[in-house]
Amino acid sequence: MKRIYYIVLLVLIAGNVFAQNERKFVRNGNKLFMEAVRDTTQIDSVKFSNAETEYRKALNKRPNDLKWNYNLADAMYKQQRFEDAEGKFSELAEKMEEPVERAFANHNLGNTQLMQNKLDESIESYKKALRENPSDLETKYNLAYAQMLKKQQEQQQQQNQQNQDQNKDQNKDQQDQNKDQQNKDQNKDQNKDQQDQNKNQDQNKQNQDQQNKDQQQQQQPQQNKISKQDAEQLLQALQNDERKIQDKVKKEKAAKAKRMQTEKEW
């Protein structure tokens, strides 16, 4: 803050006082103002406020006096009432007749805007002051200072934007990674489900094969073992064949015996 106050240009313009009381108020106000300015260790708000009071007393008699209004604006600025001072200096910058006076008003207008961090406005006010008074070194310094702050602000905004973009990209990458991981997990679950399904199918097939095998094993003895009816029929057929064989054998024996008897008779 000390540097800011160092670069501030304060110009007190003494008013031409026509009436004794008005001259007294302005003189008292200037005295209080200068006493407060001499103390560089602190801001004596009380004296600046008292100076403002004296200036207003004078302005009650002559409210349109530009020089007294200028001193009033300086007193408000020193009390850090920057918005009030800005309005007053802005009016004075339009009404001052002499170029150097307009330069002073625009210079201090730039100071009030600078203290409110209105960098673009303060830069424009300093430029206006320099157009009226190009050789003013303090205005050139304040302009350069405001431009430096503006550049730093733009760099900071750019850095913040880059950080936001980077964070946005990182968040997007993280979301993509999470999505990929979810897809992987989903695919993994699907693959696992498919594997389990295949395994169940294999198990079912094995169970079915085993059941078929068991059925075949159960049916195998039944195929080898004939039914009771079939067994009786087969037995009957065998007995018939055996009877036929026995009858044939008996016939052959009888024929043989008859031949032998015939031979004996001869």
Side-chain angles (χ1 to χ4, degrees), residues 209-254:
D209 293 341
Q210 185 64 37
Q211 289 178 359
N212 294 335
K213 184 177 179 181
D214 293 340
Q215 290 177 357
Q216 291 175 358
Q217 289 177 353
Q218 291 175 0
Q219 293 174 359
Q220 186 74 26
Q222 294 177 357
Q223 293 175 355
N224 295 332
K225 182 179 180 181
I226 62 177
S227 65
K228 182 179 180 180
Q229 183 178 1
D230 292 339
E232 291 177 352
Q233 292 176 356
L234 180 59
L235 181 59
Q236 184 65 37
L238 290 174
Q239 289 177 352
N240 292 335
D241 291 341
E242 184 178 358
R243 188 178 297 112
K244 290 178 180 179
I245 293 173
Q246 291 177 354
D247 290 343
K248 186 177 180 180
V249 172
K250 289 179 179 180
K251 288 179 179 181
E252 288 179 355
K253 287 181 177 181

Side-chain angles (χ1 to χ4, degrees), residues 163-190:
N163 292 337
Q164 290 178 359
D165 293 340
Q166 184 177 1
N167 291 335
K168 184 177 179 180
D169 292 339
Q170 289 177 351
N171 291 336
K172 186 176 183 302
D173 292 340
Q174 186 63 41
Q175 290 176 355
D176 291 340
Q177 290 178 1
N178 292 338
K179 186 175 181 180
D180 291 341
Q181 185 62 41
Q182 290 176 355
N183 292 334
K184 289 180 180 179
D185 293 340
Q186 185 176 2
N187 292 334
K188 184 178 179 181
D189 292 338
Q190 291 177 350

Side-chain angles (χ1 to χ4, degrees), residues 43-57:
I43 298 175
D44 194 338
S45 298
V46 175
K47 288 184 178 180
F48 285 125
S49 179
N50 292 336
E52 178 186 352
T53 300
E54 295 299 315
Y55 292 140
R56 290 189 181 278
K57 289 178 182 179

